[in-house]
Amino acid sequence: MTTRILPAVGDPDTARSLITLLSQLPDSEPLRSVPDSTALLDTLAALTHQSVAELPDVVVVHEHMGPLPALELIREVALRFPAVGVVLVSADPTAGLYSAAMDAGARGLVGMPLSYDELAARVSAAAQWAAGMRRHLGAGEEIPAGPGGRIITVSGAKGGVGATLLATQLALAAQTAGPFERGAVLIDLDLVCGDVGSYFDVQFRRSVADLAGIQDISPQVLTEAVFVHETGLSMLIAPAEGERGEDVSEATARQLLTAVRSRYDIVVVDCGAHMNSANAAAVEMADVAVLVTTPDVISVRAVNRMVRMWDRLRIRKAADTLTVVNRHGRSSAIQPQLIARITGTHVARGVIPAGFRELQEAQDAGRIQDLDGRSQVRRAMWAVAAELGLTAPEPAASGGRRRGRRS
């Protein structure tokens, strides 16, 4: 079987040397080199849209290609094109770089000057991994085309601010009103106290914890763990025994999210209000990270603590976080503009009013999908979904203002 190899090297002389060496590897077919990270991602996306079979088996990335840093580029390729093996080429292949490259998703590290034996071994290992990954992802099916679905995480600045409710509504909006062929999945990574199952009155024998320790989450494994609700929304619920949540590691979360984003257009993750390694990985991987707060001093201070912690741990910057204000009223002392100024986050244009009476019946019945579409709370949450691009904006009432998509 021929191994198709795509070199990604900015320097023309280095690219020629690498292609010459790659062409000497047995059963290998080097492709034309791409000069930068943008060209690499565009090339992979274009090949995926043509046919999954057109994707290279291995991408060889030179550390100084740019403009994306090499480790960020590797992480992007691993997330968007999980069936492509990546090998990093570096002039300083230290143990620390090897560990960082593996964490980012690389399948090997090669030192410079290039050695035939070392390059052959790393490319062969990456190609074998890619072939196995394609079997597990496809298992007789085609790997879904395209760069993969969007991940939206929803975290509470503190407990009780309404993060799970918002997560359920974002997922329902995307599933029932969004223009997505592959649908949406709602994942409960509030591993100890997750309530997604209770909101939908789901009793299911499988949970996120059943995926812990599985090296390759194949479509069959994922199908067995997912509960498909009557609304069509897919769910991965938290374990009924909270102590089992400790089995879900950062590696499990990354493997899980990589698998589900290759099969669904929208992945909504309820991260709860208590951070652990699994939901921290989800926030880091997210296309959009939402923090939910109520307009009071204690909750806004909690937002501040959370975003500062994310920044210290290099999970996410405050400027890349979207804060949603729940239970807002005109008389609230703390308005969205002040929250944005205090926390350094972006604040959603749509705010959600308090509506305990509107919510109580649907919540108590475990049928949150039956929340009245005319209720102010539901309309406000679906407006946030539209702001995130999960649905088309709802027309405003006659004489009112029309909400637009977030630019």
Side-chain angles (χ1 to χ4, degrees):
M1 180 178 175
T2 301
T3 300
R4 302 175 73 246
I5 309 166
L6 177 61
V9 184
D11 177 65
D13 292 335
T14 304
R16 281 192 292 270
S17 298
L18 178 59
I19 290 174
T20 298
L21 199 54
L22 290 172
S23 64
Q24 297 173 18
L25 302 183
D27 299 321
S28 68
E29 179 189 347
L31 306 177
R32 176 181 288 184
S33 177
V34 292
D36 55 51
S37 59
T38 302
L40 173 60
L41 296 174
D42 289 347
T43 298
L44 293 176
L47 291 173
T48 302
H49 285 300
Q50 290 176 21
S51 168
V52 171
E54 294 299 316
L55 277 172
D57 302 287
V58 179
V59 171
V60 180
V61 173
H62 189 273
E63 63 180 342
H64 295 311
M65 183 177 61
L68 267 183
L71 294 180
E72 288 187 25
L73 176 61
I74 291 169
R75 184 175 291 109
E76 187 74 8
V77 172
L79 292 176
R80 294 177 57 182
F81 310 98
V84 175
V86 183
V87 174
L88 176 63
V89 176
S90 170
D92 188 24
T94 62
L97 179 60
Y98 175 84
S99 177
M102 296 305 104
D103 287 344
R107 309 313 306 174
L109 174 64
V110 178
M112 294 186 69
L114 295 170
S115 157
Y116 174 90
D117 291 338
E118 185 181 22
L119 184 63
R122 301 297 175 266
V123 168
S124 175
Q128 290 177 12
W129 179 88
M133 190 68 173
R134 292 182 190 204
R135 284 195 300 272
H136 284 294
L137 282 176
E141 309 169 23
E142 285 193 354
I143 300 171
R150 294 174 65 206
I151 297 176
I152 295 94
T153 57
V154 183
S155 307
K158 55 184 284 295
V161 295
T164 298
L165 177 62
L166 178 61
T168 66
Q169 294 305 304
L170 295 181
L172 283 168
Q175 176 64 36
T176 59
F180 305 111
E181 293 181 0
R182 296 183 296 168
V185 61
L186 174 59
I187 301 176
D188 196 345
L189 280 186
D190 187 356
L191 296 168
V192 177
C193 304
D195 284 328
V196 164
S198 297
Y199 272 83
F200 292 92
D201 194 24
V202 171
Q203 305 293 327
F204 193 54
R205 68 187 187 282
R206 300 291 188 186
S207 75
V208 176
D210 291 299
L211 301 176
I214 297 177
Q215 297 300 315
D216 294 304
I217 300 176
S218 68
Q220 289 87 343
V221 170
L222 194 58
T223 298
E224 290 179 2
V226 166
F227 176 83
V228 181
H229 191 256
E230 64 187 51
T231 59
L233 177 64
S234 296
M235 301 179 197
L236 270 165
I237 62 175
E241 306 83 10
E243 64 274 14
R244 292 191 64 208
E246 297 179 1
D247 297 334
V248 182
S249 65
E250 175 185 354
T252 298
R254 291 187 184 278
Q255 288 177 332
L256 168 62
L257 292 173
T258 298
V260 295
R261 81 184 308 174
S262 72
R263 300 185 65 80
Y264 297 91
D265 288 314
I266 298 297
V267 181
V268 179
V269 185
D270 178 8
C271 291
H274 302 286
M275 296 304 298
N276 54 49
S277 61
N279 54 34
V283 172
E284 182 185 352
M285 292 175 66
D287 297 283
V288 180
V290 173
L291 260 177
V292 182
T293 186
T294 47
D296 56 83
V297 171
I298 293 175
S299 294
V300 174
R301 284 179 176 173
V303 172
N304 232 351
R305 286 196 303 271
M306 185 76 81
V307 296
R308 299 299 174 259
M309 179 179 68
W310 287 356
D311 187 62
R312 288 194 305 272
L313 298 177
R314 298 184 179 180
I315 295 170
R316 200 171 199 90
K317 294 186 178 298
D320 296 329
T321 303
L322 180 71
T323 299
V324 173
V325 183
N326 189 23
R327 301 175 196 149
H328 181 268
R330 291 183 179 179
S331 60
S332 299
I334 300 179
Q335 294 296 316
Q337 298 88 339
L338 180 59
I339 295 173
R341 190 160 62 247
I342 291 172
T343 64
T345 64
H346 295 285
V347 175
R349 293 194 299 269
V351 295
I352 302 163
F356 296 102
R357 292 182 180 177
E358 295 177 7
L359 296 169
Q360 187 171 0
E361 183 177 352
Q363 285 182 330
D364 290 347
R367 293 191 60 84
I368 200 64
Q369 71 274 14
D370 291 343
L371 186 60
D372 192 338
R374 297 168 296 180
S375 78
Q376 292 183 350
V377 173
R378 195 264 202 184
R379 288 180 62 86
M381 290 190 173
W382 283 45
V384 172
E387 192 171 334
L388 295 176
L390 304 183
T391 70
E394 289 189 13
S398 178
R401 296 177 63 186
R402 181 184 298 268
R403 291 188 182 274
R405 285 181 184 257
R406 185 177 177 85
S407 57

